[in-house]
Amino acid sequence: ETGVTQTPRHLVMGMTNKKSLKCEQHLGHNAMYWYKQSAKKPLELMFVYSLEERVENNSVPSRFSPECPNSSHLFLHLHTLQPEDSALYLCASSPMGGGEKLFFGSGTQLSVL
Amino acid sequence: AQKVTQAQTEISVVEKEDVTLDCVYETRDTTYYLFWYKQPPSGELVFLIRRNSFDEQNEISGRYSWNFQKSTSSFNFTITASQVVDSAVYFCALANAGGTSYGKLTFGQGTILTVHP
């Protein structure tokens, strides 16, 4: 148990669907992250929230919309995705957001048909 | 720009063999952190070690050891007497140590390690 919980673990969606990924951390951390892990590619940072404020948006298409209602919860809203968006989406948290180690969830394996 | 290269895509060993995973990095920052993470089949990345760029001492933790050589920009990871449970994907990562780095890690592509009984 890493203290970072992601739901759902698996998600299959069509290109016209709207779905949301949820992440919850029980570690009292102030920073939360979304990373994308595609086959045969390095993990890519998508978004960073520090104290519920988005501080990094790594040129992510607008069909991905993050939301951080409080320091314990992070969402990734998905709409009109493309098949190439199929990947493992990993949520992580850290105490302050400045080079300390990240605590990762188990990820949501997303398949876009 | 930062870059992390893990040249070994896949490594296969037999249990009890020693294995070294290579990591080479590029950065213009003078202070930075280097990390190793393990990703077992369950998916979550598990933190193994963080090394500050000012600290070049090698570290040993049980069967794991890390060799940081700033002169060659390498941060290699050795598993001694490998076990089947060591089978996983291992990632090397780099982060700027500045106050606005916001935990932005640059990851290598990962090395798939398979340990056979």
Side-chain angles (χ1 to χ4, degrees):
Chain A
E1 176 58 51
T2 65
V4 180
T5 305
Q6 288 187 244
T7 55
R9 289 281 278 133
H10 302 273
L11 178 62
V12 179
M13 59 186 290
M15 289 191 284
T16 58
N17 291 157
K18 290 184 181 180
K19 296 286 184 183
S20 296
L21 310 185
K22 180 182 176 182
C23 176
E24 185 174 1
Q25 57 98 357
H26 312 277
L27 302 167
H29 290 167
N30 291 318
M32 297 187 76
Y33 312 78
W34 282 114
Y35 276 85
K36 176 183 178 182
Q37 185 177 16
S38 305
K40 302 188 185 301
K41 291 178 69 175
L43 277 81
E44 304 169 65
L45 178 66
M46 300 176 72
F47 301 104
V48 181
Y49 277 82
S50 178
L51 296 172
E52 302 151 44
E53 180 182 342
R54 191 191 311 179
V55 296
E56 184 91 19
N57 179 344
N58 222 22
S59 302
V60 179
S62 59
R63 57 185 183 269
F64 295 92
S65 175
E67 179 190 2
C68 187
N70 55 62
S71 60
S72 299
H73 293 86
L74 184 66
F75 296 89
L76 187 62
H77 303 300
L78 316 171
H79 64 97
T80 59
L81 294 192
Q82 305 298 311
E84 59 265 28
D85 296 323
S86 298
L88 180 68
Y89 289 85
L90 289 160
C91 174
S93 70
S94 68
M96 293 297 293
E100 68 279 351
K101 70 180 185 181
L102 302 183
F103 293 75
F104 283 86
S106 297
T108 295
Q109 185 64 55
L110 173 67
S111 297
V112 181
L113 304 179
Chain B
Q2 298 184 325
K3 185 179 179 181
V4 176
T5 301
Q6 295 178 252
Q8 304 147 308
T9 305
E10 293 191 49
I11 300 176
S12 182
V13 299
V14 177
E15 211 169 16
K16 298 185 183 177
E17 284 186 32
D18 298 346
V19 58
T20 296
L21 309 181
D22 298 332
C23 173
V24 175
Y25 63 92
E26 298 174 27
T27 181
R28 293 183 179 178
D29 298 323
T30 55
T31 55
Y32 49 88
Y33 293 108
L34 294 163
F35 301 81
W36 276 96
Y37 281 86
K38 173 182 179 180
Q39 186 177 37
S42 55
E44 81 280 10
L45 273 75
V46 178
F47 169 85
L48 295 179
I49 190 171
R50 182 184 75 168
R51 173 65 59 194
N52 186 301
S53 55
F54 287 125
D55 182 2
E56 290 194 64
Q57 275 196 333
N58 290 328
E59 182 160 338
I60 297 174
S61 177
R63 297 185 295 108
Y64 296 170
S65 61
W66 290 270
N67 183 359
F68 176 30
Q69 295 204 344
K70 210 168 181 178
S71 60
T72 56
S73 297
S74 66
F75 187 44
N76 296 337
F77 173 32
T78 297
I79 301 175
T80 303
S82 60
Q83 300 176 2
V84 173
V85 293
D86 295 326
S87 297
V89 185
Y90 290 86
F91 291 95
C92 181
L94 168 70
N96 179 278
T100 59
S101 66
Y102 294 113
K104 183 177 178 179
L105 269 62
T106 299
F107 284 87
Q109 290 190 290
T111 297
I112 302 171
L113 173 65
T114 303
V115 181
H116 299 281

